[in-house]
Amino acid sequence: MHSEAIDPTGVEWTRVDEKYITVKYITGIIGWLVTFAIVAAPLVLSWTGIWMDFALWLQILVIGGLTLWAVVDLILVPRRVRAIGYHERADDLLIRRGLLWQRVVAVPYGRLQYVDIEAGPIMRKLGLCTVQLKTASAATDATIPGAVRAEGARLRDELAARGQARLAGL
């Protein structure tokens, strides 16, 4: 993974599985289809004469703008997924994500309360899971989406053990 200015020096990121791109495409397409259906409902009612008439320029602007947004969103999926990474250090776990708004979160093992694994039907089908780290702070957004199930289980066990060891030392 390409190192950015926000990344700590000497960190070699572990990337999530490439199959997570498929998950993001499927969920993204479903989300955009729902969005188009919601936006199209007033337009269809306008075309049938049931509801108020929208100006043609407004219809073109809305449909064109939404289509452009959807296309750009779906084109960026692979780059967004490849920007997600994590790195285990001696005292904390680093999690990196983001293209335009990059974010690196350091979660100290001593602050971990528990580690959760979840997988929806699409992720289960592809053998992936999401590892969620729960801390005392509600503001901590520490998730590793798109991990292979075996790696997710290893992370859960390893991080929970490290958290318990650090907590016991307090």
Side-chain angles (χ1 to χ4, degrees):
M1 179 182 293
H2 176 69
S3 182
E4 296 286 342
I6 195 172
D7 296 339
T9 55
V11 169
E12 192 68 34
W13 297 105
T14 303
R15 294 186 344 184
V16 297
D17 195 276
E18 291 282 321
K19 290 185 279 186
Y20 189 57
I21 294 171
T22 305
V23 173
K24 294 303 283 181
Y25 271 133
I26 292 169
T27 57
I29 289 170
I30 290 170
W32 279 112
L33 288 175
V34 169
T35 302
F36 275 106
I38 291 169
V39 170
L43 296 177
V44 170
L45 291 174
S46 171
W47 296 332
T48 58
I50 297 173
W51 202 33
M52 66 180 171
D53 195 24
F54 289 104
L56 181 61
W57 68 268
L58 183 60
Q59 296 176 27
I60 292 171
L61 182 69
V62 168
I63 292 172
L66 205 56
T67 302
L68 179 65
W69 188 5
V71 167
V72 169
D73 183 51
L74 293 174
I75 286 173
L76 289 177
V77 163
R79 291 199 59 208
R80 279 193 209 116
V81 169
R82 290 184 185 113
I84 302 170
Y86 62 94
H87 179 75
E88 296 174 71
R89 296 196 299 189
D91 295 322
D92 57 10
L93 176 74
L94 297 176
I95 301 174
R96 178 195 195 284
R97 66 178 55 218
L99 290 176
L100 195 54
W101 286 274
Q102 298 174 348
R103 182 175 183 187
V104 175
V105 177
V107 181
Y109 298 130
R111 301 280 183 184
L112 286 177
Q113 290 184 329
Y114 65 94
V115 182
D116 191 18
I117 293 181
E118 71 174 23
I122 300 169
M123 289 183 72
R124 276 196 317 269
K125 180 75 172 163
L126 295 172
L128 302 175
C129 66
T130 297
V131 180
Q132 295 181 339
L133 308 173
K134 304 295 183 177
T135 65
S137 170
T140 303
D141 178 20
T143 60
I144 304 170
V148 177
R149 267 193 235 161
E151 176 67 2
R154 185 198 70 79
L155 279 170
R156 178 194 59 214
D157 296 341
E158 180 70 24
L159 297 175
R162 288 182 185 183
Q164 283 297 322
R166 299 295 192 287
L167 214 60
L170 291 179

